Amino acid sequence: MSDSDAPGGRESPGIRTDPEAAADTEAETAAAPDPKIAHAAATEAAIDIDIDFAKVFQALPSPVMLLAPDLTIIAANRAYVQVSGRGLDELIGRFIFDVFPDSPSAEATGARTLRTSLERLLATGERDTMALQKYDVEVPDRPGVFEERYWSTVNIPVLDADGRVSLIAHRVEEVTALVHARQAATRTPGARHTALTRLSREDAMTADLLTRSQELQELNEELRKAHARTHEVAVTLQRAMLPGTALPRHDFAAVRYQPAASFLNVCGDWYDLIDLDEDRLAAAVGDVVGHGLEAAGVMGQLRSALSAAIRATGRPADALATLAQHAHTVEGALATTVVQAVIDRAAHTVTYSCAGHPPPLLSHPDGTVELLDTATDPPLAAGDDTVPRTQATVSYTPGATLVLYTDGLIERRGEDIDRGLHRLTHSLRRHHALPPDPLADAILTDLVPAPRRGPDDDTALVVIRL
């Protein structure tokens, strides 16, 4: 592959400055009150560089190979060609594990471990750094003969505009010589001094760390498997304690629950729908602070308690006041947020009360969306329980839609929650005419991150056609 065939080519984007634009920039810089801005603008105006990214890729001292999402090799730099012992014609367009099969040895795990790393990257969209790996390589022109090799590997994702992995940069460093030297120094007592004299003190320490890192890699894999098992159990328990997502008696309502992609955030969200009488329906959504099995257990206790409280009182504020008192007796319930609403179909009203929870949305038949945020109090067990909780009542026109949700639907790391609330409002306004089930799906599609990455937090969603 020539330099122009590598990623970027001659048409790769460069950094150029138009002379007239540079003059304008200098004029703006002169008037700029902030010296940092002035310095940045002046520097930009002075730059006139056409970067050939193909040459940069080829000049990298580290061996780098580029993979498509289907793990087909699409490019390799000179350093990679040299260390792999394969020509470009043996690499480009081929499946990576066809080019580099695992050794037939029963102890060989190199291909399996690398595949796990690449699949994890594709699933999460995040960089995956592998510890020291023994990955024997078939000797060129000697089929079936494998040479012992050790590698330090980093797999780096390149994401497209939708957050999906479009390219994988597979960077390797061969450390076979260091590992062999370390093995020789520790395996044969008489050779210890000789082996170490061939290595600098830094190289000896590096070889030792690389050897230890293999043990850490194995431990990390065990931890991942344990987390995955716990995640599965927690989600199963969570789903078992929630009402079914299919509600034949409530065809005017749709509910959704999506667990977080990360074990650290899974479980704790809940929803509930209860017929209080022929005309009144109680709907609730809550969010327990915490994760895993503990959060699922707390969620179950609070959901049951709120269900009993709203049946007994019929008033959202009184039900949440009762639940707040109960939360003091439940370990892990502190700062739980909840919204409780009662829909009166005869009076065409929605009465609601929020305990630190994101506000419900009421979409009117004409598409306007109303934020129900006038009855919000502190989360459970986080305020003065002697102060009465508030509730508010709003009227609706038949055909309106009430939406309750947890913060996993609108919160994103590093982003103001108001932006997520604006996205939800826009989605509801755009899709308000859909029936409840398609509307719930449309909202999730608009707001939940790209499927390959998954949501950062649990998401519970209730959509009710009034």
Side-chain angles (χ1 to χ4, degrees), residues 166-242:
S166 61
L167 195 67
I168 301 171
H170 172 69
R171 194 202 75 188
V172 298
E173 295 289 350
E174 185 176 5
V175 292
T176 305
L178 287 174
V179 172
H180 284 174
R182 174 62 185 172
Q183 290 173 340
T186 56
R187 185 182 303 133
T188 308
R192 180 173 180 80
H193 178 74
T194 304
L196 290 180
T197 56
R198 292 200 303 266
L199 291 174
S200 67
R201 181 172 179 274
E202 291 76 13
D203 283 345
M205 292 175 62
T206 300
D208 189 30
L209 288 172
L210 289 171
T211 303
R212 305 297 181 204
S213 70
Q214 189 169 25
E215 298 174 2
L216 290 175
Q217 176 76 5
E218 294 171 356
L219 178 60
N220 283 336
E221 285 301 318
E222 289 301 317
L223 287 173
R224 287 192 180 101
K225 291 176 182 177
H227 280 174
R229 288 193 295 269
T230 305
H231 181 282
E232 183 179 358
V233 171
V235 171
T236 300
L237 176 62
Q238 175 92 349
R239 291 190 185 278
M241 291 191 292
L242 292 175

Side-chain angles (χ1 to χ4, degrees), residues 44-354:
E44 183 179 352
I47 294 176
D48 185 12
I49 302 174
D50 182 11
I51 299 177
D52 189 332
F53 287 100
K55 286 188 175 179
V56 172
F57 178 70
Q58 291 297 333
L60 291 174
S62 293
V64 181
M65 179 169 65
L66 301 182
L67 303 172
D70 63 359
L71 305 186
T72 299
I73 303 169
I74 59 177
N77 66 359
R78 281 189 289 267
Y80 190 92
V81 170
Q82 182 176 4
V83 76
S84 71
R86 302 293 192 276
L88 285 174
D89 58 330
E90 299 175 87
L91 297 171
I92 306 303
R94 298 186 62 194
F95 185 56
I96 183 173
F97 297 109
D98 288 342
V99 180
F100 301 107
D102 220 343
S103 164
S105 168
E107 295 79 21
T109 61
R112 183 167 64 253
T113 305
L114 175 58
R115 185 188 290 268
T116 298
S117 171
L118 295 172
E119 289 175 348
R120 186 162 50 237
L121 176 149
L122 289 169
T124 64
E126 297 177 357
R127 173 192 301 233
D128 198 88
T129 301
M130 302 176 65
L132 172 71
Q133 297 297 318
K134 181 178 182 295
Y135 196 145
D136 298 344
V137 177
E138 194 172 26
V139 178
D141 303 324
R142 297 180 64 188
V145 178
F146 285 78
E147 186 176 56
E148 186 177 80
R149 308 281 284 274
Y150 290 85
W151 311 88
S152 177
T153 305
V154 180
N155 296 310
I156 306 163
V158 178
L159 306 180
D160 61 18
D162 296 323
R164 294 181 174 85
V165 177
S166 61
L167 195 67
I168 301 171
H170 172 69
R171 194 202 75 188
V172 298
E173 295 289 350
E174 185 176 5
V175 292
T176 305
L178 287 174
V179 172
H180 284 174
R182 174 62 185 172
Q183 290 173 340
T186 56
R187 185 182 303 133
T188 308
R192 180 173 180 80
H193 178 74
T194 304
L196 290 180
T197 56
R198 292 200 303 266
L199 291 174
S200 67
R201 181 172 179 274
E202 291 76 13
D203 283 345
M205 292 175 62
T206 300
D208 189 30
L209 288 172
L210 289 171
T211 303
R212 305 297 181 204
S213 70
Q214 189 169 25
E215 298 174 2
L216 290 175
Q217 176 76 5
E218 294 171 356
L219 178 60
N220 283 336
E221 285 301 318
E222 289 301 317
L223 287 173
R224 287 192 180 101
K225 291 176 182 177
H227 280 174
R229 288 193 295 269
T230 305
H231 181 282
E232 183 179 358
V233 171
V235 171
T236 300
L237 176 62
Q238 175 92 349
R239 291 190 185 278
M241 291 191 292
L242 292 175
T245 55
L247 301 169
R249 294 177 57 246
H250 295 143
D251 56 359
F252 52 81
V255 295
R256 298 290 186 272
Y257 170 72
Q258 289 195 353
S262 168
F263 168 76
L264 294 178
N265 295 322
V266 70
C267 294
D269 288 16
W270 87 84
Y271 58 83
D272 210 355
L273 291 174
I274 303 170
D275 288 315
L276 297 179
D277 54 41
E278 186 175 342
D279 295 322
R280 293 186 306 152
L281 172 72
V285 166
D287 186 357
V288 172
V289 176
H291 62 268
L293 292 171
E294 180 183 355
V298 174
M299 178 277 294
Q301 295 181 66
L302 295 181
R303 175 179 167 271
S304 297
L306 181 57
S307 175
I310 194 63
R311 289 178 190 275
T313 67
R315 301 183 73 254
D318 292 345
L320 290 186
T322 300
L323 185 65
Q325 291 283 351
H326 178 63
H328 287 286
T329 69
V330 179
E331 186 176 355
L334 176 64
T336 294
T337 68
V338 194
V339 56
Q340 176 71 67
V342 172
I343 301 159
D344 190 325
R345 293 189 175 277
H348 296 161
T349 61
V350 175
T351 302
Y352 67 95
S353 182
C354 292

